[in-house]
Amino acid sequence: MIPELGHFALILALVISLMQATVPLVGAHRNRLALMAVARPAAQGQFLFLAISFACLTWAFVQNDFSVQYVAMHSNTATPMIYRITGVWGSHEGSLLLWALTLSLWTVAVTIFSSKLPEAFMARVLSVLGWVSVGFLSFTLITSNPFDRLLPAVPEGRDLNPLLQDPGMIIHPPLLYMGYVGFSVAFAFAIAALLTGRLDAAWAVWSRPWTTVAWVFLTAGIAVGSGWAYYELGWGGWWFWDPVENSSFMPWLLGTALMHSLAVTEKRGAFRSWTVLLAIGTFTLSLLGTFLVRSGVLTSVHAFATDPKRGLFILALLVLVIGISLTLYAWRAPRLAGGGSFAFVSRDTSLLGNNVLLSMVCASVLLGTLYPLFLDALNLGKISVGPPYFEAVFVPLMAPVVILMMIGPFIRWKTDEGSRVARQVVPGLVASVVAGAAAAFLIGHATWRTVLGLSLAAWVVIGSVQILVRRLADRPGTATSVRLRGIPRAWWGMWMSHLGIGVFIVGVTMVGGLQQRADLKMYPGQHALLAGYTFTLREVVDATGPNYAAARATVELTRGASPVATLRPEKRLYHAQQMPMSEVSIDVGPFRDVYISLGERLEDGAWIVHLFYKPFISWIWLGCILMAVGGVLAASDGRYRRLAERNASSAAVGQTA
């Protein structure tokens, strides 16, 4: 009965989402408060029934109900309990249910934390979110029902893909979906503003914290996914420009531009066209990522190979969203003209330049991702676009983004003098280039990439220190502690996120230039040298897990005569799917990782062993953590809430008048 209850709850959620999508919109159009008031309870009711449906599917996994086809395909009686639970979103059908639940959670959050916004505007926002929910719930029920029965039930399931039986599976998909789906709120605010014709700074103020929170979740999700790939796949890399990796990175790029564009629209009333288009584009790319993962057009570690009909459904939804959004934008375009004027030398211009560059970076990634698919679809041949292409176009476009990112805070809004700005920034730029070149020579890797990367990182650090010093100088005569406390959290968030980018650049540059690798044949008792470390393979013994058998190696890591760590990589064979997996062992340090992956056993008793030395690689994720924490600080600034409430009160007064 539990699967039937879950299916019925899913149908009720769709019915309520239709009500949420239509009734408030009619009420807002006719100015009927009773109809508009339907939006909030409908959103909350939809969340309740989706939570029931999700709980029912989870219970089916926990109870090993192999009469449910989805459970039979992705679980097993020997699967550890935690991976039975994560198996709920381990493939297509369950991940769509998680997507719908996440969307309803965001919608409920909007009903709670934006309750003081004008009723008509909120009705339109919730209606747009309702329509998005209608699309995904219809997709789930028509093509991807996770409660489809398998009769008669099979005695044993196929088990969850061994690649997904990892702690990363617990947190990566939920974080990523919170980011993906979170941008639907920014999209809904933009569409509601277009529907009302009210395209002043108010909607930017209302939308900005939601956009920042979505960006934080997406940043964290991408970072966790990158770390998971680093230690799970056994190849020692943290990013491979895989098409599905790109599908999460593209909305991050446009989402970053959107956050900055919202800031300008809020403060100056400018960039309104940019802001609306970026909100539409960011959510569209989130939908595109869903299409790429679930359409069957990609072969990827991350992708779900599915029935092409499912891909056509999402493609139709994608075309519908783009078509309606751009038609609405074209209708309201005359009201988007104008806005605050600004001179060529101004903070506005620097932010506009960053928006353009980030959009170009996103377009280049999109081209490299989709071009091979188009060629294949048109029977023009198969090509592979890999890291060489992306690195060739990404670095030249992102370098000026980083430079402008740190120049912007030195420039005044609206207009400034070029000579004054030059006096502020040129010494720091020169010092950064000198520091970057000197550091590259000191580490013995003075290539143009290393010099550029370290110079950009130095520029971020030096610029951040300069900006902080200038900020503290604003209130002379006041104690430093008082001045520090007086700086708003939004400013600290910006500062920390920018500093995180500098730390990230250091990690990418150093690991790219100085990493070392050795693929060796080793016998027990044999030694190997890499990057000044000695690896001694002591033994390889049999081990067992709950649903796998393994060969576990013991490797002693020393530097000179000093012991460093004992590493225990494994080679596993999962019983249900007879799938081999390598479980790496890593000695993590603040300035380097030493990484071992155990390969195949040879007939003569030797083993293939893969050794890696990864300098500063942990700084990549440290930089991501700083960016995410900065986003949290910015979103939690109380000024946003107070400003939103003031704008909401003004809007309500305007509507009454």
Side-chain angles (χ1 to χ4, degrees):
M1 290 298 295
I2 293 295
E4 284 74 16
L5 175 61
H7 184 223
F8 183 63
L10 198 56
I11 293 172
L12 287 178
L14 174 60
V15 172
I16 294 174
S17 69
L18 276 167
M19 186 186 303
Q20 176 190 331
T22 54
V23 175
L25 199 60
V26 172
H29 180 68
R30 297 183 178 179
N31 199 25
R32 302 283 292 274
L33 191 60
L35 297 179
M36 289 187 279
V38 169
R40 286 185 172 86
Q44 292 159 4
Q46 182 194 161
F47 172 74
L48 173 63
F49 285 111
L50 279 171
I52 291 172
S53 183
F54 193 84
C56 289
L57 185 60
T58 304
W59 184 250
F61 270 87
V62 170
Q63 292 295 106
N64 290 317
D65 186 353
F66 298 135
S67 70
V68 178
Q69 182 175 339
Y70 183 66
V71 178
M73 294 293 292
H74 304 290
S75 188
N76 185 279
T77 54
T79 305
M81 179 60 71
I82 186 62
Y83 298 128
R84 286 192 225 165
I85 294 172
T86 58
V88 174
W89 55 83
S91 192
H92 175 79
E93 292 86 350
S95 68
L96 275 177
L97 185 57
L98 177 63
W99 179 289
L101 179 66
T102 305
L103 177 59
S104 69
L105 179 62
W106 274 102
T107 307
V108 168
V110 172
T111 67
I112 295 171
F113 296 106
S114 295
S115 59
K116 295 185 179 180
L117 298 188
E119 197 67 32
F121 188 84
M122 276 304 301
R124 291 183 171 95
V125 169
L126 295 175
S127 178
V128 172
L129 291 171
W131 279 115
V132 176
S133 187
V134 166
F136 274 93
L137 288 175
S138 300
F139 178 41
T140 302
L141 283 166
I142 294 170
T143 72
S144 312
N145 190 346
F147 297 102
D148 281 345
R149 287 292 199 168
L150 186 64
L151 299 175
V154 294
E156 187 58 272
R158 293 187 65 242
D159 201 4
L160 182 65
N161 185 335
L163 281 169
L164 306 181
Q165 295 187 37
D166 184 88
M169 187 63 184
I170 303 171
I171 53 177
H172 169 59
L175 282 175
L176 201 64
Y177 280 17
M178 284 293 289
Y180 265 158
V181 181
F183 283 120
S184 67
V185 178
F187 170 77
F189 272 84
I191 296 300
L194 289 172
L195 287 170
T196 60
R198 185 182 173 88
L199 293 155
D200 54 13
W203 74 271
V205 175
W206 300 334
S207 176
R208 192 175 173 190
W210 295 102
T211 305
T212 304
V213 172
W215 181 87
V216 168
F217 276 115
L218 188 57
T219 302
I222 293 172
V224 170
S226 170
W228 181 11
Y230 168 63
Y231 70 77
E232 178 65 19
L233 299 182
W235 59 292
W238 59 276
W239 192 263
F240 194 64
W241 296 103
D242 178 278
V244 182
E245 290 176 335
N246 295 345
S247 71
S248 62
F249 187 47
M250 290 185 289
W252 186 89
L253 288 168
L254 278 197
T256 304
L258 174 60
M259 284 196 306
H260 291 85
S261 192
L262 281 167
V264 181
T265 302
E266 173 198 328
K267 294 177 184 299
R268 299 266 298 110
F271 291 14
R272 288 179 294 180
S273 292
W274 262 105
T275 305
V276 170
L277 285 175
L278 286 170
I280 294 171
T282 303
F283 180 60
T284 298
L285 287 174
S286 296
L287 291 180
L288 178 64
T290 305
F291 167 72
L292 291 175
V293 173
R294 290 167 177 81
S295 62
V297 301
L298 294 179
T299 301
S300 165
V301 159
H302 314 80
F304 302 121
T306 62
D307 187 337
K309 289 185 293 186
R310 297 173 177 177
L312 289 175
F313 194 109
I314 297 182
L315 186 60
L317 181 63
L318 184 64
V319 171
L320 198 63
V321 168
I322 295 172
I324 293 174
S325 301
L326 294 183
T327 300
L328 190 57
Y329 172 81
W331 176 43
R332 293 298 193 187
R335 299 197 181 194
L336 293 169
S341 60
F342 51 90
F344 178 74
V345 180
S346 64
R347 187 178 299 186
D348 313 62
T349 301
S350 71
L351 288 168
L352 177 61
N354 258 358
N355 280 354
V356 171
L357 287 168
L358 284 169
S359 299
M360 290 173 63
V361 173
C362 184
S364 69
V365 175
L366 181 64
L367 177 64
T369 303
L370 295 185
Y371 182 63
L373 304 180
F374 284 136
L375 287 184
D376 189 24
L378 297 173
N379 294 318
L380 296 177
K382 292 181 179 290
I383 66 168
S384 176
V385 176
Y389 161 79
F390 290 106
E391 291 170 5
V393 298
F394 185 78
V395 173
L397 290 172
M398 282 303 294
V401 169
V402 176
I403 294 171
L404 281 175
M405 177 186 80
M406 299 310 301
I407 290 177
F410 290 97
I411 313 176
R412 299 187 181 113
W413 291 103
K414 196 172 181 178
T415 186
D416 206 339
E417 296 178 2
S419 57
R420 190 199 72 83
V421 175
R423 289 194 299 272
Q424 293 281 333
V425 302
V426 168
L429 273 172
V430 172
S432 301
V433 173
V434 172
F441 276 102
L442 285 174
I443 64 176
H445 199 270
T447 66
W448 73 267
R449 286 179 180 272
T450 305
V451 171
L452 176 62
L454 294 179
S455 297
L456 289 174
W459 166 235
V460 173
V461 173
I462 292 171
S464 297
V465 171
Q466 285 182 286
I467 293 165
L468 180 59
V469 169
R470 289 177 70 243
R471 183 80 189 202
L472 292 175
D474 287 345
R475 298 169 64 188
T478 308
T480 302
S481 60
V482 174
R483 282 181 278 176
L484 286 170
R485 288 195 300 271
I487 298 175
R489 272 184 286 180
W491 189 93
W492 280 118
M494 176 272 296
W495 187 85
M496 186 171 290
S497 294
H498 288 176
L499 189 63
I501 291 174
V503 173
F504 176 86
I505 292 172
V506 171
V508 173
T509 303
M510 295 295 282
V511 75
L514 298 180
Q515 64 183 337
Q516 297 182 43
R517 172 176 181 169
D519 300 312
L520 305 171
K521 174 182 176 181
M522 294 184 69
Y523 294 92
Q526 188 174 349
H527 306 283
L529 296 174
L530 182 72
Y533 291 91
T534 301
F535 300 79
T536 303
L537 178 61
R538 289 301 180 194
E539 61 178 359
V540 181
V541 299
D542 293 334
T544 58
N547 57 344
Y548 62 84
R552 180 180 299 152
T554 299
V555 180
E556 290 183 359
L557 181 67
T558 58
R559 190 172 182 88
S562 303
V564 176
T566 299
L567 302 175
R568 292 183 172 86
E570 294 182 2
K571 189 71 174 181
R572 295 179 179 176
L573 181 67
Y574 283 79
H575 301 309
Q577 298 189 20
Q578 289 296 295
M579 181 174 177
M581 284 288 300
S582 293
E583 290 294 316
V584 306
S585 185
I586 307 175
D587 181 49
V588 178
F591 301 107
R592 59 81 184 131
D593 281 6
V594 178
Y595 177 123
I596 303 179
S597 175
L598 190 64
E600 301 297 327
R601 186 179 189 274
L602 303 179
E603 292 182 358
D604 59 358
W607 288 84
I608 299 298
V609 179
H610 309 285
L611 310 178
F612 301 88
Y613 171 73
K614 299 282 184 177
F616 285 84
I617 193 165
S618 59
W619 286 43
I620 292 173
W621 296 292
L622 175 60
C624 293
I625 291 171
L626 290 174
M627 284 186 261
V629 171
V632 171
L633 286 175
S636 65
D637 194 320
R639 294 184 309 161
Y640 288 137
R641 184 181 65 256
R642 293 189 294 271
L643 189 57
E645 290 174 358
R646 284 201 301 270
N647 284 334
S649 300
S650 301
V653 170
Q655 287 178 355
T656 304

